[in-house]
């Protein structure tokens, strides 16, 4: 867990821990940029830098969840060549984001595939926050089957 990380710490910690799943919770722009904490407040990470960063983390990194409003473009773009990604279309409530994340990782911890965990989490959002459920989207490259990727069990 890297809380309130600035860019340098985010890069360093990600390299150090070699995660299989990377979860970004925060804010994004429709252009694909992510907001991070900088030394002088918030900074944005440009899309081209993020694409190269995530490519450098392969083959360890297998799933990226962008739990941020307006992150669907980034998730779609990265999935084209990467693997499995989850993004959000437009704006959603904090409750939807938190509920989705809790249920997604609960399902993964019980041996569910990425696609199954995604559906499980979306069903929770559908029951609790009906208008937000369809805003959560999953993408994957042609080389990756989200029904086959599991992290436990």
């Amino acid at each position: 867990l890297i809380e309130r990380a600035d860019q340098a710490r985010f890069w360093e910690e990600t390299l150090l821990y070699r995660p299989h799943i990377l979860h970004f919770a925060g804010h994004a722009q429709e252009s694909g940029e992510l907001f991070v904490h900088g030394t002088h407040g918030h900074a944005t990470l440009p899309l081209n830098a993020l694409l190269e960063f995530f490519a450098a983390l392969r083959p360890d990194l297998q799933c990226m969840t962008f739990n941020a409003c307006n992150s669907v473009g980034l998730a779609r773009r990265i999935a084209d060549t990467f693997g499995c990604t989850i993004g959000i279309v437009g704006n959603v409530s904090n409750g939807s984001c938190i509920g989705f994340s809790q249920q997604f990782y609960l399902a993964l911890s019980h041996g569910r595939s990425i696609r199954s965990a995604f559906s499980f989490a979306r069903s929770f959002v559908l029951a609790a926050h009906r208008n937000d459920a369809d805003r959560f989207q999953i993408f994957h490259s042609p080389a990756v089957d989200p029904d086959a990727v599991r992290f436990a069990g």
Side-chain angles (χ1 to χ4, degrees):
L1 177 63
I2 309 169
E3 291 187 45
R4 301 181 61 86
D6 62 18
Q7 179 183 342
R9 184 164 169 238
F10 181 67
W11 255 244
E12 181 182 331
E13 297 280 331
T14 305
L15 189 61
L16 176 67
Y17 290 108
R18 301 175 65 181
H20 296 288
I21 302 170
L22 184 65
H23 180 99
F24 177 85
H27 301 283
Q29 293 181 343
E30 289 181 23
S31 63
E33 295 178 323
L34 295 177
F35 289 103
V36 295
H37 292 279
T39 55
H40 303 290
H42 293 294
T44 58
L45 297 176
L47 179 59
N48 60 344
L50 290 168
L51 292 173
E52 193 164 333
F53 171 71
F54 293 129
L57 296 176
R58 290 292 290 158
D60 296 321
L61 190 58
Q62 299 175 43
C63 178
M64 288 176 281
T65 302
F66 298 101
N67 204 356
C69 296
N70 303 309
S71 60
V72 72
L74 176 61
R76 182 182 291 121
R77 179 87 183 270
I78 290 172
D80 287 342
T81 57
F82 173 76
C84 294
T85 61
I86 296 171
I88 297 173
V89 176
N91 296 315
V92 296
S93 70
N94 285 341
S96 292
C97 288
I98 292 167
F100 178 89
S101 295
Q102 289 172 335
Q103 300 307 312
F104 179 72
Y105 293 111
L106 176 65
L108 287 179
S109 74
H110 284 275
R112 298 293 184 165
S113 70
I114 290 175
R115 176 152 350 254
S116 176
F118 174 81
S119 295
F120 183 79
R122 245 177 57 157
S123 71
F124 180 84
V125 174
L126 183 60
H129 307 274
R130 288 185 175 94
N131 296 333
D132 286 345
D134 288 337
R135 295 188 180 280
F136 292 87
Q137 300 289 312
I138 188 170
F139 303 96
H140 62 91
S141 73
V144 175
D145 179 2
D147 289 313
V149 179
R150 289 179 165 74
F151 298 101

